[in-house]
Amino acid sequence: MKTLKTLIAVAAVALTLGAAGSAAAQALEKKDIKIAVGGKPLLYYLPLTLAERLGYFKEAGISVEISDFGGGAKSLQALIGGSADVVTGAYDHTVQMQAKGQPIVGVTQLGRYPGIVLAYVKKNGAITSVKDLKGKKVGVTAPGSSTNFMINYLLAKEGMKPEDVSIIGVGGGPSAVAAVKRGEIDAIVNLDPVISQSESDGDIVVMADTRTEKGTLDVYGGPYPAAVLYTTPAFIQANPKTTQALADIFVKTMLWLNKASTEEVLKVLPEEYFLGNKTLYAQAFEHSKPTYSPDGRFTQDGAEAALKVLKAFDPAVASATIDLSKTYTNQYVEDALKRLAK
């Protein structure tokens, strides 16, 4: 009898645990998530690919559909248009969209330095200063993206306007490398691995480099947030558990990335990311590794730096009253860090 009672008790516990596990799996308000990104193979967005290929979305019970666009401005449009639920994109957009009355919120920071580089194309002649860019063709990932913002700010610092150069979208992969090689642009503002590839080929000379803390300070005068996971307040309100699960995934990814060796990272990535040269990609990753956030947290200093930069060339931001506390939240990151520390 005693044995029977024990068996019944064990079975009851098992059923309870099974029900609890099932309930946890069903707790997410939304399990099918559409993520937009502007240049997935770029090292700027490496945490997204790592989260996907390490299986972290699947572990959390989330099925993701990732749409890769030519630049961050297009992925932002996908969110605003309703074809994406969340975006891995530049923090700048959270400030810019508040000025337009369409608020979006960063929930996890992926990059603490932009990792964006300005270089001139040697084939078309040396350019010794930003002022010399006047009338030149400047390739960016896509108009309205963070690469475009960087050149706009550098022009503004010299008393120039965005209209003083011709902005051309060249993407963030082989198309950008090809545009440089063919001399279709006079200068390029892009990220790794595009920059490292073009530099290795001897096609460009770097003029400004935000892959390091020093380079970021030289360009922006302070820390500057780069890629973040952002979405709309409406999505967060309707899907708080799903939002938390997404933050958990990216925080877990950032912690993994900051401990991983170059070899461990490369093992996770698809071969096509290497642009035919795995050794060069490894070097590019090592150049870019300092740009990643150590834990996913936002900082007020970084938010203020972004606001200052956008005010310099964006009239809508300059004339608006921006509440930076509404452009990001550390709530979900802090909860994720507590759970992951256990």
Side-chain angles (χ1 to χ4, degrees):
M1 189 71 176
K2 211 169 187 182
T3 304
L4 181 59
K5 285 183 179 179
T6 302
L7 288 171
I8 292 171
V10 169
V13 170
L15 285 170
T16 302
L17 290 174
S22 177
Q26 295 173 7
L28 301 180
E29 301 90 355
K30 189 174 177 63
K31 296 179 183 178
D32 297 322
I33 299 296
K34 295 179 180 178
I35 301 179
V37 59
K40 189 168 178 265
L42 291 170
L43 282 160
Y44 191 81
Y45 296 119
L46 178 63
L48 173 60
T49 297
L50 291 177
E52 177 190 21
R53 294 180 72 87
L54 287 168
Y56 292 165
F57 289 108
K58 188 176 180 180
E59 283 179 14
I62 291 176
S63 174
V64 292
E65 178 186 326
I66 300 173
S67 297
D68 190 11
F69 296 92
K74 294 179 180 178
S75 53
L76 170 64
Q77 289 169 7
L79 179 73
I80 299 303
S83 60
D85 300 305
V86 297
V87 173
T88 50
Y91 169 76
D92 298 328
H93 290 139
T94 69
V95 177
Q96 195 179 50
M97 295 310 291
Q98 187 181 128
K100 295 180 178 180
Q102 293 179 295
I104 55 177
V105 184
V107 294
T108 315
Q109 181 169 280
L110 310 181
R112 57 179 175 172
Y113 311 137
I116 303 172
V117 173
L118 164 66
Y120 72 80
V121 178
K122 290 167 71 174
K123 178 179 280 190
N124 293 344
I127 296 173
T128 57
S129 71
V130 171
K131 286 184 177 180
D132 292 337
L133 289 171
K134 188 166 185 177
K136 302 291 187 182
K137 292 179 286 186
V138 180
V140 301
T141 53
S145 297
S146 55
T147 50
N148 195 165
F149 294 164
M150 178 171 161
I151 188 60
N152 284 352
Y153 182 61
L154 289 171
L155 292 169
K157 285 172 72 175
E158 297 295 337
M160 300 168 70
K161 297 178 180 179
E163 297 78 24
D164 287 333
V165 301
S166 296
I167 295 295
I168 299 172
V170 296
S175 60
V177 174
V180 167
K181 201 162 284 294
R182 290 194 293 259
E184 295 172 354
I185 50 179
D186 302 302
I188 185 167
V189 188
N190 218 290
L191 306 105
D192 273 331
V194 169
I195 293 298
S196 287
Q197 179 69 58
S198 296
E199 203 172 6
S200 175
D201 291 346
D203 293 332
I204 60 172
V205 175
V206 171
M207 299 172 65
D209 188 343
T210 66
R211 289 175 292 186
T212 64
E213 181 179 17
K214 181 185 181 302
T216 301
L217 293 174
D218 288 345
V219 172
Y220 295 113
Y224 201 95
V228 305
L229 177 70
Y230 67 66
T231 187
T232 62
F235 179 88
I236 295 172
Q237 186 175 2
N239 307 283
K241 292 177 182 176
T242 303
T243 302
Q244 183 63 64
L246 290 168
D248 290 354
I249 289 165
F250 280 98
V251 169
K252 187 176 180 180
T253 302
M254 303 317 298
L255 297 179
W256 182 90
L257 175 57
N258 279 280
K259 290 179 181 177
S261 66
T262 300
E263 293 73 24
E264 287 170 328
V265 171
L266 266 60
K267 281 180 184 177
V268 176
L269 301 178
E271 194 71 26
E272 60 266 25
Y273 276 32
F274 306 143
L275 298 178
N277 191 331
K278 195 170 185 177
T279 300
L280 182 61
Y281 186 93
Q283 294 171 0
F285 167 70
E286 287 166 3
H287 286 153
S288 296
K289 193 168 184 181
T291 67
Y292 300 113
S293 168
D295 53 23
R297 289 185 176 102
F298 293 89
T299 68
Q300 182 67 15
D301 287 348
E304 289 173 357
L307 178 59
K308 180 192 78 171
V309 166
L310 290 168
K311 277 185 172 182
F313 65 83
D314 188 329
V317 175
S319 62
T321 300
I322 303 294
D323 182 351
L324 289 174
S325 69
K326 293 181 180 178
T327 63
Y328 70 90
T329 174
N330 278 322
Q331 173 190 335
Y332 299 98
V333 169
E334 295 295 352
D335 285 350
L337 288 168
K338 285 176 187 174
R339 270 193 298 282
L340 291 169
K342 291 179 180 178

mmCIF file with all atom_site columns, all heavy atoms in Angstrom, residues 220-245:
data_model
loop_
_atom_site.group_PDB
_atom_site.id
_atom_site.type_symbol
_atom_site.label_atom_id
_atom_site.label_alt_id
_atom_site.label_comp_id
_atom_site.label_asym_id
_atom_site.label_entity_id
_atom_site.label_seq_id
_atom_site.pdbx_PDB_ins_code
_atom_site.Cartn_x
_atom_site.Cartn_y
_atom_site.Cartn_z
_atom_site.occupancy
_atom_site.B_iso_or_equiv
_atom_site.pdbx_formal_charge
_atom_site.auth_seq_id
_atom_site.auth_comp_id
_atom_site.auth_asym_id
_atom_site.auth_atom_id
_atom_site.pdbx_PDB_model_num
ATOM 1   N N   . TYR A 1 220 ? 32.511 60.986 -32.407 1.00 0.00 ? 220 TYR A N   1
ATOM 2   C CA  . TYR A 1 220 ? 31.292 61.409 -31.731 1.00 0.00 ? 220 TYR A CA  1
ATOM 3   C C   . TYR A 1 220 ? 31.522 62.147 -30.419 1.00 0.00 ? 220 TYR A C   1
ATOM 4   O O   . TYR A 1 220 ? 30.583 62.720 -29.857 1.00 0.00 ? 220 TYR A O   1
ATOM 5   C CB  . TYR A 1 220 ? 30.396 60.197 -31.467 1.00 0.00 ? 220 TYR A CB  1
ATOM 6   C CG  . TYR A 1 220 ? 29.885 59.544 -32.730 1.00 0.00 ? 220 TYR A CG  1
ATOM 7   C CD1 . TYR A 1 220 ? 30.302 58.258 -33.099 1.00 0.00 ? 220 TYR A CD1 1
ATOM 8   C CD2 . TYR A 1 220 ? 28.989 60.205 -33.562 1.00 0.00 ? 220 TYR A CD2 1
ATOM 9   C CE1 . TYR A 1 220 ? 29.830 57.658 -34.257 1.00 0.00 ? 220 TYR A CE1 1
ATOM 10  C CE2 . TYR A 1 220 ? 28.524 59.611 -34.725 1.00 0.00 ? 220 TYR A CE2 1
ATOM 11  C CZ  . TYR A 1 220 ? 28.945 58.341 -35.067 1.00 0.00 ? 220 TYR A CZ  1
ATOM 12  O OH  . TYR A 1 220 ? 28.485 57.761 -36.215 1.00 0.00 ? 220 TYR A OH  1
ATOM 13  N N   . GLY A 1 221 ? 32.736 62.093 -29.897 1.00 0.00 ? 221 GLY A N   1
ATOM 14  C CA  . GLY A 1 221 ? 33.027 62.802 -28.652 1.00 0.00 ? 221 GLY A CA  1
ATOM 15  C C   . GLY A 1 221 ? 32.558 62.089 -27.402 1.00 0.00 ? 221 GLY A C   1
ATOM 16  O O   . GLY A 1 221 ? 32.609 62.647 -26.309 1.00 0.00 ? 221 GLY A O   1
ATOM 17  N N   . GLY A 1 222 ? 32.073 60.866 -27.547 1.00 0.00 ? 222 GLY A N   1
ATOM 18  C CA  . GLY A 1 222 ? 31.590 60.120 -26.394 1.00 0.00 ? 222 GLY A CA  1
ATOM 19  C C   . GLY A 1 222 ? 31.140 58.740 -26.819 1.00 0.00 ? 222 GLY A C   1
ATOM 20  O O   . GLY A 1 222 ? 31.232 58.386 -28.001 1.00 0.00 ? 222 GLY A O   1
ATOM 21  N N   . PRO A 1 223 ? 30.650 57.931 -25.859 1.00 0.00 ? 223 PRO A N   1
ATOM 22  C CA  . PRO A 1 223 ? 30.148 56.596 -26.204 1.00 0.00 ? 223 PRO A CA  1
ATOM 23  C C   . PRO A 1 223 ? 28.945 56.727 -27.116 1.00 0.00 ? 223 PRO A C   1
ATOM 24  O O   . PRO A 1 223 ? 28.214 57.718 -27.068 1.00 0.00 ? 223 PRO A O   1
ATOM 25  C CB  . PRO A 1 223 ? 29.762 56.012 -24.842 1.00 0.00 ? 223 PRO A CB  1
ATOM 26  C CG  . PRO A 1 223 ? 29.450 57.214 -24.002 1.00 0.00 ? 223 PRO A CG  1
ATOM 27  C CD  . PRO A 1 223 ? 30.415 58.273 -24.449 1.00 0.00 ? 223 PRO A CD  1
ATOM 28  N N   . TYR A 1 224 ? 28.764 55.745 -27.982 1.00 0.00 ? 224 TYR A N   1
ATOM 29  C CA  . TYR A 1 224 ? 27.677 55.866 -28.955 1.00 0.00 ? 224 TYR A CA  1
ATOM 30  C C   . TYR A 1 224 ? 27.037 54.506 -29.211 1.00 0.00 ? 224 TYR A C   1
ATOM 31  O O   . TYR A 1 224 ? 27.693 53.595 -29.717 1.00 0.00 ? 224 TYR A O   1
ATOM 32  C CB  . TYR A 1 224 ? 28.213 56.437 -30.275 1.00 0.00 ? 224 TYR A CB  1
ATOM 33  C CG  . TYR A 1 224 ? 27.135 57.055 -31.132 1.00 0.00 ? 224 TYR A CG  1
ATOM 34  C CD1 . TYR A 1 224 ? 26.890 58.419 -31.069 1.00 0.00 ? 224 TYR A CD1 1
ATOM 35  C CD2 . TYR A 1 224 ? 26.354 56.274 -31.984 1.00 0.00 ? 224 TYR A CD2 1
ATOM 36  C CE1 . TYR A 1 224 ? 25.893 58.994 -31.840 1.00 0.00 ? 224 TYR A CE1 1
ATOM 37  C CE2 . TYR A 1 224 ? 25.362 56.832 -32.750 1.00 0.00 ? 224 TYR A CE2 1
ATOM 38  C CZ  . TYR A 1 224 ? 25.134 58.195 -32.678 1.00 0.00 ? 224 TYR A CZ  1
ATOM 39  O OH  . TYR A 1 224 ? 24.143 58.765 -33.434 1.00 0.00 ? 224 TYR A OH  1
ATOM 40  N N   . PRO A 1 225 ? 25.764 54.329 -28.848 1.00 0.00 ? 225 PRO A N   1
ATOM 41  C CA  . PRO A 1 225 ? 25.097 53.036 -29.053 1.00 0.00 ? 225 PRO A CA  1
ATOM 42  C C   . PRO A 1 225 ? 24.967 52.722 -30.534 1.00 0.00 ? 225 PRO A C   1
ATOM 43  O O   . PRO A 1 225 ? 24.754 53.608 -31.357 1.00 0.00 ? 225 PRO A O   1
ATOM 44  C CB  . PRO A 1 225 ? 23.727 53.236 -28.400 1.00 0.00 ? 225 PRO A CB  1
ATOM 45  C CG  . PRO A 1 225 ? 23.493 54.716 -28.445 1.00 0.00 ? 225 PRO A CG  1
ATOM 46  C CD  . PRO A 1 225 ? 24.854 55.347 -28.299 1.00 0.00 ? 225 PRO A CD  1
ATOM 47  N N   . ALA A 1 226 ? 25.107 51.461 -30.857 1.00 0.00 ? 226 ALA A N   1
ATOM 48  C CA  . ALA A 1 226 ? 25.033 51.040 -32.258 1.00 0.00 ? 226 ALA A CA  1
ATOM 49  C C   . ALA A 1 226 ? 23.767 50.222 -32.481 1.00 0.00 ? 226 ALA A C   1
ATOM 50  O O   . ALA A 1 226 ? 22.657 50.719 -32.294 1.00 0.00 ? 226 ALA A O   1
ATOM 51  C CB  . ALA A 1 226 ? 26.291 50.260 -32.610 1.00 0.00 ? 226 ALA A CB  1
ATOM 52  N N   . ALA A 1 227 ? 23.929 48.941 -32.834 1.00 0.00 ? 227 ALA A N   1
ATOM 53  C CA  . ALA A 1 227 ? 22.761 48.096 -33.083 1.00 0.00 ? 227 ALA A CA  1
ATOM 54  C C   . ALA A 1 227 ? 22.044 47.769 -31.777 1.00 0.00 ? 227 ALA A C   1
ATOM 55  O O   . ALA A 1 227 ? 22.671 47.541 -30.744 1.00 0.00 ? 227 ALA A O   1
ATOM 56  C CB  . ALA A 1 227 ? 23.184 46.807 -33.775 1.00 0.00 ? 227 ALA A CB  1
ATOM 57  N N   . VAL A 1 228 ? 20.724 47.762 -31.853 1.00 0.00 ? 228 VAL A N   1
ATOM 58  C CA  . VAL A 1 228 ? 19.893 47.395 -30.707 1.00 0.00 ? 228 VAL A CA  1
ATOM 59  C C   . VAL A 1 228 ? 18.737 46.532 -31.220 1.00 0.00 ? 228 VAL A C   1
ATOM 60  O O   . VAL A 1 228 ? 18.488 46.464 -32.422 1.00 0.00 ? 228 VAL A O   1
ATOM 61  C CB  . VAL A 1 228 ? 19.315 48.635 -29.979 1.00 0.00 ? 228 VAL A CB  1
ATOM 62  C CG1 . VAL A 1 228 ? 20.423 49.589 -29.578 1.00 0.00 ? 228 VAL A CG1 1
ATOM 63  C CG2 . VAL A 1 228 ? 18.279 49.374 -30.839 1.00 0.00 ? 228 VAL A CG2 1
ATOM 64  N N   . LEU A 1 229 ? 18.070 45.887 -30.306 1.00 0.00 ? 229 LEU A N   1
ATOM 65  C CA  . LEU A 1 229 ? 16.803 45.225 -30.626 1.00 0.00 ? 229 LEU A CA  1
ATOM 66  C C   . LEU A 1 229 ? 15.711 46.218 -30.262 1.00 0.00 ? 229 LEU A C   1
ATOM 67  O O   . LEU A 1 229 ? 15.609 46.624 -29.102 1.00 0.00 ? 229 LEU A O   1
ATOM 68  C CB  . LEU A 1 229 ? 16.634 43.945 -29.816 1.00 0.00 ? 229 LEU A CB  1
ATOM 69  C CG  . LEU A 1 229 ? 15.302 43.205 -30.021 1.00 0.00 ? 229 LEU A CG  1
ATOM 70  C CD1 . LEU A 1 229 ? 15.238 42.571 -31.405 1.00 0.00 ? 229 LEU A CD1 1
ATOM 71  C CD2 . LEU A 1 229 ? 15.099 42.147 -28.942 1.00 0.00 ? 229 LEU A CD2 1
ATOM 72  N N   . TYR A 1 230 ? 14.932 46.659 -31.259 1.00 0.00 ? 230 TYR A N   1
ATOM 73  C CA  . TYR A 1 230 ? 13.875 47.612 -30.954 1.00 0.00 ? 230 TYR A CA  1
ATOM 74  C C   . TYR A 1 230 ? 12.536 47.171 -31.522 1.00 0.00 ? 230 TYR A C   1
ATOM 75  O O   . TYR A 1 230 ? 12.460 46.363 -32.447 1.00 0.00 ? 230 TYR A O   1
ATOM 76  C CB  . TYR A 1 230 ? 14.236 49.031 -31.398 1.00 0.00 ? 230 TYR A CB  1
ATOM 77  C CG  . TYR A 1 230 ? 14.347 49.302 -32.891 1.00 0.00 ? 230 TYR A CG  1
ATOM 78  C CD1 . TYR A 1 230 ? 13.255 49.244 -33.744 1.00 0.00 ? 230 TYR A CD1 1
ATOM 79  C CD2 . TYR A 1 230 ? 15.576 49.703 -33.446 1.00 0.00 ? 230 TYR A CD2 1
ATOM 80  C CE1 . TYR A 1 230 ? 13.359 49.545 -35.086 1.00 0.00 ? 230 TYR A CE1 1
ATOM 81  C CE2 . TYR A 1 230 ? 15.690 50.000 -34.801 1.00 0.00 ? 230 TYR A CE2 1
ATOM 82  C CZ  . TYR A 1 230 ? 14.581 49.925 -35.609 1.00 0.00 ? 230 TYR A CZ  1
ATOM 83  O OH  . TYR A 1 230 ? 14.680 50.223 -36.960 1.00 0.00 ? 230 TYR A OH  1
ATOM 84  N N   . THR A 1 231 ? 11.478 47.727 -30.924 1.00 0.00 ? 231 THR A N   1
ATOM 85  C CA  . THR A 1 231 ? 10.124 47.416 -31.375 1.00 0.00 ? 231 THR A CA  1
ATOM 86  C C   . THR A 1 231 ? 9.211  48.581 -30.979 1.00 0.00 ? 231 THR A C   1
ATOM 87  O O   . THR A 1 231 ? 9.687  49.612 -30.494 1.00 0.00 ? 231 THR A O   1
ATOM 88  C CB  . THR A 1 231 ? 9.634  46.091 -30.770 1.00 0.00 ? 231 THR A CB  1
ATOM 89  O OG1 . THR A 1 231 ? 8.367  45.738 -31.352 1.00 0.00 ? 231 THR A OG1 1
ATOM 90  C CG2 . THR A 1 231 ? 9.479  46.157 -29.255 1.00 0.00 ? 231 THR A CG2 1
ATOM 91  N N   . THR A 1 232 ? 7.921  48.407 -31.169 1.00 0.00 ? 232 THR A N   1
ATOM 92  C CA  . THR A 1 232 ? 6.973  49.477 -30.838 1.00 0.00 ? 232 THR A CA  1
ATOM 93  C C   . THR A 1 232 ? 6.458  49.303 -29.409 1.00 0.00 ? 232 THR A C   1
ATOM 94  O O   . THR A 1 232 ? 6.391  48.177 -28.897 1.00 0.00 ? 232 THR A O   1
ATOM 95  C CB  . THR A 1 232 ? 5.770  49.454 -31.789 1.00 0.00 ? 232 THR A CB  1
ATOM 96  O OG1 . THR A 1 232 ? 5.079  48.202 -31.625 1.00 0.00 ? 232 THR A OG1 1
ATOM 97  C CG2 . THR A 1 232 ? 6.211  49.608 -33.237 1.00 0.00 ? 232 THR A CG2 1
ATOM 98  N N   . PRO A 1 233 ? 6.062  50.395 -28.756 1.00 0.00 ? 233 PRO A N   1
ATOM 99  C CA  . PRO A 1 233 ? 5.444  50.278 -27.435 1.00 0.00 ? 233 PRO A CA  1
ATOM 100 C C   . PRO A 1 233 ? 4.213  49.377 -27.461 1.00 0.00 ? 233 PRO A C   1
ATOM 101 O O   . PRO A 1 233 ? 3.944  48.656 -26.497 1.00 0.00 ? 233 PRO A O   1
ATOM 102 C CB  . PRO A 1 233 ? 5.079  51.722 -27.086 1.00 0.00 ? 233 PRO A CB  1
ATOM 103 C CG  . PRO A 1 233 ? 6.024  52.564 -27.872 1.00 0.00 ? 233 PRO A CG  1
ATOM 104 C CD  . PRO A 1 233 ? 6.231  51.812 -29.158 1.00 0.00 ? 233 PRO A CD  1
ATOM 105 N N   . ALA A 1 234 ? 3.482  49.395 -28.565 1.00 0.00 ? 234 ALA A N   1
ATOM 106 C CA  . ALA A 1 234 ? 2.272  48.573 -28.684 1.00 0.00 ? 234 ALA A CA  1
ATOM 107 C C   . ALA A 1 234 ? 2.617  47.086 -28.649 1.00 0.00 ? 234 ALA A C   1
ATOM 108 O O   . ALA A 1 234 ? 1.908  46.288 -28.009 1.00 0.00 ? 234 ALA A O   1
ATOM 109 C CB  . ALA A 1 234 ? 1.533  48.906 -29.977 1.00 0.00 ? 234 ALA A CB  1
ATOM 110 N N   . PHE A 1 235 ? 3.715  46.705 -29.306 1.00 0.00 ? 235 PHE A N   1
ATOM 111 C CA  . PHE A 1 235 ? 4.129  45.295 -29.284 1.00 0.00 ? 235 PHE A CA  1
ATOM 112 C C   . PHE A 1 235 ? 4.513  44.876 -27.869 1.00 0.00 ? 235 PHE A C   1
ATOM 113 O O   . PHE A 1 235 ? 4.128  43.797 -27.402 1.00 0.00 ? 235 PHE A O   1
ATOM 114 C CB  . PHE A 1 235 ? 5.314  45.069 -30.231 1.00 0.00 ? 235 PHE A CB  1
ATOM 115 C CG  . PHE A 1 235 ? 5.809  43.637 -30.230 1.00 0.00 ? 235 PHE A CG  1
ATOM 116 C CD1 . PHE A 1 235 ? 5.252  42.697 -31.089 1.00 0.00 ? 235 PHE A CD1 1
ATOM 117 C CD2 . PHE A 1 235 ? 6.806  43.226 -29.355 1.00 0.00 ? 235 PHE A CD2 1
ATOM 118 C CE1 . PHE A 1 235 ? 5.677  41.370 -31.076 1.00 0.00 ? 235 PHE A CE1 1
ATOM 119 C CE2 . PHE A 1 235 ? 7.250  41.907 -29.338 1.00 0.00 ? 235 PHE A CE2 1
ATOM 120 C CZ  . PHE A 1 235 ? 6.679  40.980 -30.201 1.00 0.00 ? 235 PHE A CZ  1
ATOM 121 N N   . ILE A 1 236 ? 5.251  45.726 -27.174 1.00 0.00 ? 236 ILE A N   1
ATOM 122 C CA  . ILE A 1 236 ? 5.684  45.415 -25.807 1.00 0.00 ? 236 ILE A CA  1
ATOM 123 C C   . ILE A 1 236 ? 4.480  45.264 -24.885 1.00 0.00 ? 236 ILE A C   1
ATOM 124 O O   . ILE A 1 236 ? 4.405  44.330 -24.082 1.00 0.00 ? 236 ILE A O   1
ATOM 125 C CB  . ILE A 1 236 ? 6.634  46.506 -25.277 1.00 0.00 ? 236 ILE A CB  1
ATOM 126 C CG1 . ILE A 1 236 ? 7.931  46.511 -26.092 1.00 0.00 ? 236 ILE A CG1 1
ATOM 127 C CG2 . ILE A 1 236 ? 6.936  46.297 -23.797 1.00 0.00 ? 236 ILE A CG2 1
ATOM 128 C CD1 . ILE A 1 236 ? 8.847  47.673 -25.778 1.00 0.00 ? 236 ILE A CD1 1
ATOM 129 N N   . GLN A 1 237 ? 3.533  46.181 -25.020 1.00 0.00 ? 237 GLN A N   1
ATOM 130 C CA  . GLN A 1 237 ? 2.350  46.152 -24.166 1.00 0.00 ? 237 GLN A CA  1
ATOM 131 C C   . GLN A 1 237 ? 1.516  44.893 -24.403 1.00 0.00 ? 237 GLN A C   1
ATOM 132 O O   . GLN A 1 237 ? 1.001  44.275 -23.462 1.00 0.00 ? 237 GLN A O   1
ATOM 133 C CB  . GLN A 1 237 ? 1.491  47.399 -24.421 1.00 0.00 ? 237 GLN A CB  1
ATOM 134 C CG  . GLN A 1 237 ? 0.306  47.523 -23.470 1.00 0.00 ? 237 GLN A CG  1
ATOM 135 C CD  . GLN A 1 237 ? -0.456 48.833 -23.659 1.00 0.00 ? 237 GLN A CD  1
ATOM 136 O OE1 . GLN A 1 237 ? -0.126 49.640 -24.522 1.00 0.00 ? 237 GLN A OE1 1
ATOM 137 N NE2 . GLN A 1 237 ? -1.467 49.055 -22.845 1.00 0.00 ? 237 GLN A NE2 1
ATOM 138 N N   . ALA A 1 238 ? 1.402  44.487 -25.653 1.00 0.00 ? 238 ALA A N   1
ATOM 139 C CA  . ALA A 1 238 ? 0.596  43.314 -25.985 1.00 0.00 ? 238 ALA A CA  1
ATOM 140 C C   . ALA A 1 238 ? 1.339  41.999 -25.733 1.00 0.00 ? 238 ALA A C   1
ATOM 141 O O   . ALA A 1 238 ? 0.708  40.961 -25.535 1.00 0.00 ? 238 ALA A O   1
ATOM 142 C CB  . ALA A 1 238 ? 0.159  43.378 -27.451 1.00 0.00 ? 238 ALA A CB  1
ATOM 143 N N   . ASN A 1 239 ? 2.681  42.070 -25.716 1.00 0.00 ? 239 ASN A N   1
ATOM 144 C CA  . ASN A 1 239 ? 3.486  40.845 -25.621 1.00 0.00 ? 239 ASN A CA  1
ATOM 145 C C   . ASN A 1 239 ? 4.638  40.977 -24.620 1.00 0.00 ? 239 ASN A C   1
ATOM 146 O O   . ASN A 1 239 ? 5.801  40.799 -24.978 1.00 0.00 ? 239 ASN A O   1
ATOM 147 C CB  . ASN A 1 239 ? 4.059  40.502 -27.004 1.00 0.00 ? 239 ASN A CB  1
ATOM 148 C CG  . ASN A 1 239 ? 3.011  40.428 -28.087 1.00 0.00 ? 239 ASN A CG  1
ATOM 149 O OD1 . ASN A 1 239 ? 2.279  39.450 -28.176 1.00 0.00 ? 239 ASN A OD1 1
ATOM 150 N ND2 . ASN A 1 239 ? 2.936  41.461 -28.900 1.00 0.00 ? 239 ASN A ND2 1
ATOM 151 N N   . PRO A 1 240 ? 4.342  41.272 -23.357 1.00 0.00 ? 240 PRO A N   1
ATOM 152 C CA  . PRO A 1 240 ? 5.428  41.478 -22.388 1.00 0.00 ? 240 PRO A CA  1
ATOM 153 C C   . PRO A 1 240 ? 6.285  40.225 -22.159 1.00 0.00 ? 240 PRO A C   1
ATOM 154 O O   . PRO A 1 240 ? 7.507  40.330 -22.009 1.00 0.00 ? 240 PRO A O   1
ATOM 155 C CB  . PRO A 1 240 ? 4.694  41.887 -21.113 1.00 0.00 ? 240 PRO A CB  1
ATOM 156 C CG  . PRO A 1 240 ? 3.293  41.374 -21.280 1.00 0.00 ? 240 PRO A CG  1
ATOM 157 C CD  . PRO A 1 240 ? 3.012  41.479 -22.740 1.00 0.00 ? 240 PRO A CD  1
ATOM 158 N N   . LYS A 1 241 ? 5.676  39.045 -22.153 1.00 0.00 ? 241 LYS A N   1
ATOM 159 C CA  . LYS A 1 241 ? 6.446  37.812 -21.929 1.00 0.00 ? 241 LYS A CA  1
ATOM 160 C C   . LYS A 1 241 ? 7.307  37.476 -23.147 1.00 0.00 ? 241 LYS A C   1
ATOM 161 O O   . LYS A 1 241 ? 8.437  37.006 -23.016 1.00 0.00 ? 241 LYS A O   1
ATOM 162 C CB  . LYS A 1 241 ? 5.502  36.664 -21.588 1.00 0.00 ? 241 LYS A CB  1
ATOM 163 C CG  . LYS A 1 241 ? 4.825  36.823 -20.240 1.00 0.00 ? 241 LYS A CG  1
ATOM 164 C CD  . LYS A 1 241 ? 3.836  35.703 -19.967 1.00 0.00 ? 241 LYS A CD  1
ATOM 165 C CE  . LYS A 1 241 ? 3.118  35.909 -18.632 1.00 0.00 ? 241 LYS A CE  1
ATOM 166 N NZ  . LYS A 1 241 ? 2.085  34.871 -18.395 1.00 0.00 ? 241 LYS A NZ  1
ATOM 167 N N   . THR A 1 242 ? 6.762  37.723 -24.317 1.00 0.00 ? 242 THR A N   1
ATOM 168 C CA  . THR A 1 242 ? 7.540  37.499 -25.536 1.00 0.00 ? 242 THR A CA  1
ATOM 169 C C   . THR A 1 242 ? 8.693  38.486 -25.616 1.00 0.00 ? 242 THR A C   1
ATOM 170 O O   . THR A 1 242 ? 9.813  38.115 -26.008 1.00 0.00 ? 242 THR A O   1
ATOM 171 C CB  . THR A 1 242 ? 6.641  37.626 -26.777 1.00 0.00 ? 242 THR A CB  1
ATOM 172 O OG1 . THR A 1 242 ? 5.556  36.701 -26.678 1.00 0.00 ? 242 THR A OG1 1
ATOM 173 C CG2 . THR A 1 242 ? 7.422  37.362 -28.047 1.00 0.00 ? 242 THR A CG2 1
ATOM 174 N N   . THR A 1 243 ? 8.432  39.732 -25.247 1.00 0.00 ? 243 THR A N   1
ATOM 175 C CA  . THR A 1 243 ? 9.495  40.749 -25.221 1.00 0.00 ? 243 THR A CA  1
ATOM 176 C C   . THR A 1 243 ? 10.601 40.322 -24.269 1.00 0.00 ? 243 THR A C   1
ATOM 177 O O   . THR A 1 243 ? 11.795 40.436 -24.582 1.00 0.00 ? 243 THR A O   1
ATOM 178 C CB  . THR A 1 243 ? 8.928  42.113 -24.804 1.00 0.00 ? 243 THR A CB  1
ATOM 179 O OG1 . THR A 1 243 ? 7.892  42.509 -25.717 1.00 0.00 ? 243 THR A OG1 1
ATOM 180 C CG2 . THR A 1 243 ? 10.015 43.173 -24.794 1.00 0.00 ? 243 THR A CG2 1
ATOM 181 N N   . GLN A 1 244 ? 10.205 39.807 -23.092 1.00 0.00 ? 244 GLN A N   1
ATOM 182 C CA  . GLN A 1 244 ? 11.200 39.342 -22.125 1.00 0.00 ? 244 GLN A CA  1
ATOM 183 C C   . GLN A 1 244 ? 11.985 38.165 -22.693 1.00 0.00 ? 244 GLN A C   1
ATOM 184 O O   . GLN A 1 244 ? 13.213 38.091 -22.531 1.00 0.00 ? 244 GLN A O   1
ATOM 185 C CB  . GLN A 1 244 ? 10.525 38.927 -20.822 1.00 0.00 ? 244 GLN A CB  1
ATOM 186 C CG  . GLN A 1 244 ? 11.502 38.504 -19.724 1.00 0.00 ? 244 GLN A CG  1
ATOM 187 C CD  . GLN A 1 244 ? 12.416 39.631 -19.302 1.00 0.00 ? 244 GLN A CD  1
ATOM 188 O OE1 . GLN A 1 244 ? 11.964 40.645 -18.762 1.00 0.00 ? 244 GLN A OE1 1
ATOM 189 N NE2 . GLN A 1 244 ? 13.704 39.487 -19.558 1.00 0.00 ? 244 GLN A NE2 1
ATOM 190 N N   . ALA A 1 245 ? 11.313 37.262 -23.366 1.00 0.00 ? 245 ALA A N   1
ATOM 191 C CA  . ALA A 1 245 ? 11.991 36.103 -23.952 1.00 0.00 ? 245 ALA A CA  1
ATOM 192 C C   . ALA A 1 245 ? 13.016 36.543 -24.999 1.00 0.00 ? 245 ALA A C   1
ATOM 193 O O   . ALA A 1 245 ? 14.126 36.006 -25.072 1.00 0.00 ? 245 ALA A O   1
ATOM 194 C CB  . ALA A 1 245 ? 10.970 35.154 -24.568 1.00 0.00 ? 245 ALA A CB  1
#
